[in-house]
Amino acid sequence: MATEHRVGGTCITFGDDVNTDVIIPGRYLVSIDPAELAEHAFEPLGPEVQRRLRASSVVVAGRNFGCGSAREQASTCLIGAGITAVVAASFSRVFFRNAINTGLVAVESPEAVTAVQDGGEVWVDYAAGVVEVGDERFRFAPYPEALRTILEAGGLIAYLTEQASKGASSKASSEASSKASSKASSTEETVR
Amino acid sequence: MNLVEKILARAGGRASVEPGDIVVADVDRLIMHDLSGYLTAKVFEDEVKLPIRHPERVVMVFDHHFAPATERQAAVLKSNREWARRHGIHLFDCGSGNIHNVAVRRGLIRPGMIVVGSDSHTPVHGVLGALAVALGNDSHAGTVLPYGKAWFKVPHTVRIELDGVVAPGTSPRDVALWLVGQMGEGSMIYAALEFAGPYVKALPFWDRWLFPLATVDLGAKCGYVEPDEVTEAFAAGLPGAPYDRMERSDGGEAATVRRYDVGGLGPQVACPPTVGNVKPVEAVAGIPVQWAELGGHGGGRLEDIRLAAAVLRDRKVHPDVRFNIVPASREVFAEAERSGLVLPLHEAGATWFPPSTGSNQAANMGAMAAGEAMISTHARNFPGRNGSSEAQMYLASAASVAASAVTGHITDPREITADLDRPGSR
Amino acid sequence: MTKTFAQKALERASGETGLVPGQIVDAYPDLYMSHTASWRCIRTLERMGVDTLYDVDRIAMVMDHISPANSAKTAGDHRLCREFAERMGVSKFYDVNAGIAHVVLMENGHIRPGQLIIGTDSHSTIYGALGAFGTGVGFSEITAAWVTGKLWLRVPESIKIVIEGPLPPGTHPKDIMLRLIGDLTADGATYCSVEFHGSYVESLSVSERMTLCNLAMEMGAKNAFVPPDDVTRRYLADAGVEPDGYEELLPDAGAEYRQVVDLDGRALAPQIAVPHTVDNVVPVDEVAGTRLNQVFIGSCANAKYDDLVIAAEVLAGNKVAPGVRLIVTPASSTVMSKAASDGVLSTLIEAGATITNPGCGACAGNGGAMADGEVTLSTANRNFQGRMGSYQSQIYLSSPATAAASAIRGSITNPQDVLR
């Protein structure tokens, strides 16, 4: 079952190089609403795949999942469809960033992908760094602290909003907004 | 008989006709655009199921799309292309230009012809001394395509005589807009309008264009300018075989004559929500616009582009305005480029659209958001036509459109420059 | 310790030293580019309830996708961006008709060697053409950078590509990049910084280098890089950038690369990517004769001035084949000006091309949509299923020379056969 760090359930599997135009076609980018986007997720692959997607909790894919555009909706539409985790042999880097930044668990584990049966159960414990496929356990490097904090807040914007309400960043951001010059030297001062 | 009666009598094989007669006549040309053509083709294929009697007389121009934005639009065009090729009709694909300009430029409209089309502005071809009438899609599918014929009720003719010298900076477009305001929308139901008088006769061909164009706004069946040496010279320069004969009135009197004095008339604007809501530009000056467009049936000619270039010489498009320039045809765009007009207008901040109907109905691009306003040379200003139903459209001359693009609000072009009457002549 | 370009660039942007691949740092970009997607950033900012920005001078907005608007909704999105730029004082705001963000920002001197640039567009790798570190991110990250000025970045490993030239007549930077993507595959450079070196690269203009760096994304690259040289400096000077306004960062001799790829372009034949992936690359001759419905010369990959010149040279005195639509979308307003002033535009118009206004055009779905069964040859950088309309349509990718030659013949054609 799902716990604080453990998500999963029935999975749907895809092959290598699934691109962002297949995940969410460009014509639907006028929306940023997860539920609306979910209606068009994987539309190029037909209604049967779409139906199965909505009945699944985990997307499992081969290499280079999410290659193509920087469109963040490629991750949001999966969240809207009820997906809680993506397990892939590898990710395109922009998709990986967008997943973390929108609060979707994205895990690289080529071994787990090989072991998965389409429609079977897959669970991810991202704190322990384990993908569970049936009785098998596959380890992956847990997220660095910085990324895990963002993920657990529900994404980057949620994280920043949370920080702001704690008052933690208000001082830093008001100092910074006092017109930092665009020169690199002053950037370094701002950093520390 | 007057021009319309003569054309109908000849086409119907009769010695003479009178207003009210019904004539079944051979149609010389059927013109359709990508939207109306699609509907016509569908009815024709689904219900009529006959060969096209005279495919060489049928023309389709893709002008609402210059590059379709959606798969659905692409499918409509694909279906049109396949239909056109299967039947061997004339096809002008995306980027050729506005339907009426393409038909004229390619030599497909000739004096004395009977021209029908589903675009409501088809009567514009009366400028060449043709009898040009807008019919419905079903008439085209049911009678014109399979039998090459249509029936016409001979209209009564109203002669509109314009006389006087307009104020400097005032163009024929202003006069045509003003005339619709004066006569009233729908005031000429079923009539044939003859545009005449010293003002009209002194105009070059492409300026005369604007009067038969207004026919539909007045509710008339058709409109024309009696062919003369201007018509003859223009027609002689068109591609294709020389026309066989040029019909002229043989003294037949119009049932009614209306005379208008255009002396001292200044620039006019047709305001939302209808084409008949015409006011002098001063009455609406200062209203902010976010869009300006030279294009559509009432603009995008080389003359309009020259005017815009004159207004924008040493000036820039206002940063809050998108100023679209839509050449009426590929030929106009090529001429504009050869004449060195493309670069200065581009650098002044204008956006060049491909030859088409431009943002008309926002079929391809150029949609407005709620609360935005456009001033244009288009033929229609009904709410919701270009995007949001909360957006406003003002219709004006090329000079007023260009002047407003400079200031960001509706502007009397005479306030911007005095160089409006013979642009490009220096 | 010797360092790659990526290590040096991220040290500069993070203020940290001794960075090694795999490390995650907080970096402060010099510029945050957002295109038409800016409206999403603005809406997100509103949701956060924040109105203090880190440094508004680092924000660049360019209305390049869906430009002009094609619906009341997108027109409203554009207006939101305009009003935001006005209210917040975003001076690097470029409206409809300015062109494609990447090209516009480089032409206007906003991109400099050594800088870190993030953009809401995966092809932000293109900034490497000026020796900058450019990388694509989602709109949430741009919004976050507006507020905090920073983002997390993983220090990438680097791949060194060494290309020797010159290329045979009729072949161009696009051909060499397609070959490279075909060889290394779509994820061959995932997470990596790709550095371009070698005699061929040195011989290229900045515009041609843009094609290399732009397409590096299609191998999964995080960023791309061409070492700045005199060509770079001249381009920057023309763009109004003072020589003391930037710091060139060069990889150290002996820096560590995950992989070094040597490519000899001297015998290269024109290449083409066939549907539906960019790494599905074959020589043009293998698919020559494939019937086309549409040819698109546009996008940040290949619609710069020199690309239009290449197309015009092939098209001059020829006509587009009946039944084929040729759409040409200049990459920027500057490109349009140049083409309109020296006859290139005339040549394209006379050949039968439909010229649309500067911007992303058909590449971003504003025009050029296809119906079922149609085929487009495009000079853009993606041929994914359904990217240009129907899921049952096909996209091939090539150089502008191949595109122009194919437009004349109506089917895929090796430009060497036309130029001969």
Side-chain angles (χ1 to χ4, degrees), chain B residues 67-71 74-75 78 81 85 94-95 322 330 333 337-338 343 346-347 350-351 354 364-370 388, chain C residues 68-72 75-76 79 82 97 325 333 336-337 340-341 346 350 352-355 357 365-372 390:
Chain B
T70 67
E71 177 189 352
K78 182 188 178 201
R81 269 182 210 111
R85 289 199 189 114
C94 293
R322 265 78 54 216
R330 185 186 292 284
F333 192 28
E337 168 62 2
R338 279 196 296 271
L343 183 62
H346 170 71
E347 296 204 321
T351 300
N364 211 141
M365 56 168 84
M368 288 191 279
S388 169
Chain C
N70 60 5
S71 68
R79 183 174 57 190
R82 258 172 226 128
N97 209 41
R325 293 99 69 188
S333 174
M336 173 91 174
S337 285
S341 58
S346 265
E350 306 283 350
T354 294
I355 313 293
N357 65 288
N366 209 17
M370 286 187 283
D372 285 359
S390 166

Side-chain angles (χ1 to χ4, degrees), chain B residues 18-300:
Chain B
E18 284 185 16
D21 287 358
I22 301 288
V23 174
V24 175
D26 275 355
V27 167
D28 299 300
R29 195 66 75 206
L30 164 60
I31 55 175
M32 300 179 283
H33 56 62
D34 38 354
L35 301 184
S36 65
Y38 179 71
L39 300 174
T40 302
K42 209 164 152 43
V43 174
F44 185 70
E45 293 302 315
D46 291 352
E47 295 174 29
V48 181
K49 299 175 181 154
L50 290 168
I52 294 182
R53 182 84 174 83
H54 297 293
E56 74 287 356
R57 297 183 187 174
V58 181
V59 179
M60 200 191 289
V61 181
F62 293 177
D63 67 353
H64 283 64
H65 300 93
F66 48 80
T70 67
E71 177 189 352
R72 225 182 120 258
Q73 294 170 336
V76 165
L77 300 187
K78 182 188 178 201
S79 162
N80 285 348
R81 269 182 210 111
E82 288 170 354
W83 184 77
R85 289 199 189 114
R86 194 159 69 245
H87 290 285
I89 68 168
H90 297 273
L91 172 67
F92 297 94
D93 213 310
C94 293
S96 300
N98 174 298
I99 175 171
H100 301 304
N101 288 267
V102 170
V104 168
R105 286 261 178 182
R106 303 294 179 112
L108 295 167
I109 310 290
R110 292 159 178 287
M113 267 189 174
I114 294 184
V115 178
V116 300
S118 41
D119 184 83
S120 62
H121 291 95
T122 302
V124 72
H125 298 291
V127 70
L128 263 171
L131 168 62
V133 180
L135 302 180
N137 296 323
D138 289 359
S139 299
H140 298 149
T143 66
V144 181
L145 288 173
Y147 307 112
K149 292 178 187 298
W151 63 266
F152 299 89
K153 187 172 164 191
V154 181
H156 63 281
T157 301
V158 177
R159 183 178 162 95
I160 298 167
E161 291 184 3
L162 304 180
D163 195 6
V165 178
V166 298
T170 308
S171 72
R173 164 79 169 174
D174 295 302
V175 177
L177 290 171
W178 175 82
L179 189 64
V180 174
Q182 291 297 303
M183 297 184 73
E185 264 172 275
S187 62
M188 294 283 111
I189 299 286
Y190 228 87
L193 305 181
E194 183 195 342
F195 294 96
Y199 177 78
V200 174
K201 293 308 244 183
L203 295 177
F205 178 83
W206 285 114
D207 281 339
R208 293 178 173 192
W209 175 272
L210 297 158
F211 292 92
L213 182 70
T215 301
V216 63
D217 301 332
L218 296 166
K221 181 193 191 85
C222 60
Y224 64 94
V225 178
E226 179 71 25
D228 57 12
E229 59 288 350
V230 172
T231 326
E232 209 157 333
F234 181 82
L238 292 173
Y243 52 92
D244 45 5
R245 55 197 286 196
M246 185 175 282
E247 294 288 357
R248 291 206 169 126
S249 301
D250 52 12
E253 272 306 305
T256 319
V257 179
R258 300 264 196 113
R259 294 190 175 84
Y260 293 90
D261 179 6
V262 299
L265 189 72
Q268 306 287 313
V269 179
C271 304
T274 70
V275 289
N277 188 18
V278 180
K279 298 173 182 169
V281 67
E282 307 89 274
V284 284
I287 293 175
V289 291
Q290 292 75 36
W291 296 87
E293 184 161 313
L294 276 196
H297 297 324

Side-chain angles (χ1 to χ4, degrees), chain C residues 71-277:
Chain C
S71 68
K73 161 77 170 78
T74 49
D77 294 342
H78 287 185
R79 183 174 57 190
L80 181 73
C81 298
R82 258 172 226 128
E83 289 172 355
F84 177 86
E86 173 81 29
R87 190 171 70 247
M88 305 303 284
V90 177
S91 61
K92 298 182 183 76
F93 176 82
Y94 292 90
D95 213 322
V96 168
N97 209 41
I100 307 172
H102 303 310
V103 180
V104 170
L105 296 184
M106 287 198 255
E107 284 172 348
N108 285 280
H110 301 314
I111 309 292
R112 296 155 190 214
Q115 287 187 327
L116 171 63
I117 319 288
I118 59 172
T120 56
D121 189 279
S122 56
H123 294 106
S124 300
T125 52
I126 193 172
Y127 302 123
L130 285 176
F133 187 113
T135 194
V137 296
F139 66 83
S140 290
E141 293 218 85
I142 293 288
T143 317
W146 285 2
V147 177
T148 66
K150 63 180 181 179
L151 85 167
W152 61 267
L153 283 175
R154 186 177 163 279
V155 180
E157 295 180 295
S158 296
I159 295 179
K160 183 176 185 175
I161 315 263
V162 185
I163 310 173
E164 301 305 338
L167 265 49
T171 51
H172 299 281
K174 182 63 159 286
D175 297 295
I176 200 106
M177 277 312 291
L178 287 175
R179 188 62 266 144
L180 192 62
I181 295 164
D183 291 348
L184 295 187
T185 78
D187 63 349
T190 296
Y191 301 124
C192 288
S193 169
V194 171
E195 295 184 8
F196 291 101
H197 298 267
S199 65
Y200 176 66
V201 179
E202 287 163 18
S203 75
L204 297 180
S205 67
V206 168
S207 168
E208 292 169 312
R209 295 174 185 185
M210 287 186 204
T211 303
L212 301 187
C213 293
N214 180 287
L215 284 153
M217 200 287 137
E218 300 307 324
M219 310 187 287
K222 181 182 202 114
N223 73 292
F225 172 76
V226 172
D229 56 13
D230 280 340
V231 173
T232 323
R233 285 165 215 134
R234 271 197 302 276
Y235 182 96
L236 289 164
D238 289 346
V241 180
E242 300 289 334
D244 58 359
Y246 55 90
E247 179 195 359
E248 294 171 13
L249 297 180
L250 297 172
D252 293 327
E256 252 183 67
Y257 293 95
R258 191 186 79 174
Q259 190 182 356
V260 176
V261 179
D262 288 302
L263 200 58
D264 185 348
R266 286 171 293 187
L268 187 78
Q271 305 287 311
I272 191 164
V274 309
H276 293 293
T277 61

